[in-house]
Amino acid sequence: MQHEYQDILVSDISSGVLTITLNRPEAYNALRTQLLSEVAEVLDQAAQNDDVRAVVITGNEKVFAAGADIKEMAALDAVGVLNDPRVLHWRRIAQFTKPLIAAVNGFALGGGCELVMHADIVIAGDNAQFGQPEINLGIIPGAGGTQRLLRTVGKSMAMQLVLSGEFISAAQARDFGLVSEVTIPERSLERATELARKIATKPPIAVRQAKEVLLKAYETTLDSGLSLERKAFTLLAATEDRNEGIAAFMEKRKPNFTGK
Ligand code: CAA
């Protein structure tokens, strides 16, 4: 069953996975405040719900999201931009502690590409196009596009995308590490869901620690990152799931992880 919000659809939890579908097809899923607040709210709830182990986020077959809602943005002066509540919603999305997997078909532009970069794993249909065309509007990416893109695809391609506004294909995005797999468009959501379900069977505390430590690699020195990894590794030694995982291996059986 799909639960209808104003701008998104949210599935029931199935095998530990919740699916969010961006649902403003008439505006190419432009990320107006309402849409972003709904995504942030659902992720906040998912973070608190032990039954949710991973979340998939997707759009439709033609568009993931064409960026911030330009019509909404047009009404904001500098003070409006300064106080824009969307900044808070982006932060809530960035702070989601469980795996977020994006299934992307069609356009992922501007804020849409930035939303893709908030996902932990990205599966793209071969019709996907990624870009940061804000330069054409006299602005620059404002939801992490300059920072996350450079850390993801490297300086030259980040500069190319942000300065020229050109789009890249799914295959190029894969070559540059923005997406991990390219499928036919009809399969991207299925593949993302398959991965999410697999992750949902893994020990949740270890999954959460892995995500936290991996994301730290973006913003810290190797030495601090290694130290954090070691601490997380040590913490996991205190979990029942670690004992269960090792015991199951020894006894040649499947582990039964309980999240403790
Ligand atoms: N905001 C609001 N409406 C949008 C939109 C956006 N970002 N993108 C598309 N739409 C709307 C169009 O206005 C149009 O609606 P109407 O029919 O009511 O006019 C409808 O979606 C379809 O769009 P097009 O007719 O333009 O479709 P197309 O197939 O010819 O082109 C496109 C598709 C290349 C995605 C083109 O729509 C486009 O360039 N969109 C804008 C992309 C963009 O500049 N994104 C960056 C936004 S700024 C940003 O995101 C800032 C940030 O970092 C947070």
Side-chain angles (χ1 to χ4, degrees):
M1 190 179 144
Q2 298 271 35
H3 302 270
E4 272 202 51
Y5 287 65
Q6 202 173 319
D7 287 356
I8 61 176
L9 300 172
V10 179
S11 73
D12 283 334
I13 302 164
S14 166
S15 306
V17 177
L18 191 79
T19 302
I20 299 173
T21 305
L22 309 180
N23 190 32
R24 290 189 73 207
E26 71 290 353
Y28 274 34
N29 290 338
L31 306 171
R32 65 176 170 186
T33 307
Q34 178 68 25
L35 186 151
L36 271 188
S37 74
E38 289 178 4
V39 171
E41 184 188 321
V42 170
L43 292 181
D44 284 349
Q45 286 167 5
Q48 298 296 323
N49 184 344
D50 287 346
D51 295 338
V52 179
R53 300 289 189 84
V55 173
V56 171
I57 188 161
T58 193
N60 58 48
E61 62 287 346
K62 257 180 40 186
V63 60
F64 178 72
D69 190 310
I70 298 172
K71 292 164 193 168
E72 188 183 56
M73 217 167 53
L76 295 180
D77 60 10
V79 174
V81 173
L82 181 71
N83 296 325
D84 192 343
R86 296 185 329 131
V87 176
L88 269 180
H89 303 320
W90 279 114
R91 194 165 300 149
R92 289 161 71 198
I93 295 169
Q95 286 172 348
F96 182 52
T97 50
K98 297 178 182 178
L100 179 63
I101 303 180
V104 181
N105 289 335
F107 295 114
L109 306 175
C113 189
E114 290 167 308
L115 183 55
V116 164
M117 286 186 277
H118 280 70
D120 303 307
I121 301 173
V122 184
I123 306 299
D126 59 18
N127 66 344
Q129 293 190 67
F130 300 84
Q132 299 286 167
E134 288 90 344
I135 199 77
N136 299 324
L137 302 169
I139 54 173
I140 63 170
T146 59
Q147 304 305 298
R148 290 199 178 86
L149 199 58
L150 188 134
R151 285 166 169 78
T152 307
V153 303
K155 177 183 160 194
S156 185
M157 182 50 86
M159 287 282 186
Q160 186 172 324
L161 287 166
V162 172
L163 301 185
S164 77
E166 273 184 14
F167 304 162
I168 55 171
S169 67
Q172 283 173 294
R174 183 193 48 211
D175 292 348
F176 278 89
L178 184 58
V179 316
S180 57
E181 281 182 28
V182 178
T183 66
I184 54 168
E186 297 75 28
R187 173 138 168 82
S188 59
L189 177 58
E190 186 182 276
R191 175 63 183 139
T193 305
E194 202 174 272
L195 268 172
R197 286 189 172 163
K198 178 173 281 182
I199 292 167
T201 67
K202 308 295 180 194
I205 305 177
V207 167
R208 186 173 162 171
Q209 290 296 311
K211 170 167 172 166
E212 184 183 334
V213 174
L214 278 160
L215 285 180
K216 265 289 177 257
Y218 266 140
E219 56 183 287
T220 194
T221 60
L222 178 61
D223 201 43
S224 311
L226 290 173
S227 165
L228 184 70
E229 181 191 86
R230 200 66 217 163
K231 287 198 167 74
F233 189 83
T234 306
L235 176 99
L236 289 167
T239 63
E240 289 177 18
D241 280 346
R242 184 255 202 185
N243 294 341
E244 168 63 9
I246 292 177
F249 175 80
M250 304 287 203
E251 293 158 20
K252 300 188 187 301
R253 61 173 173 82
K254 276 197 150 188
N256 175 28
F257 295 123
T258 57
K260 295 201 175 114

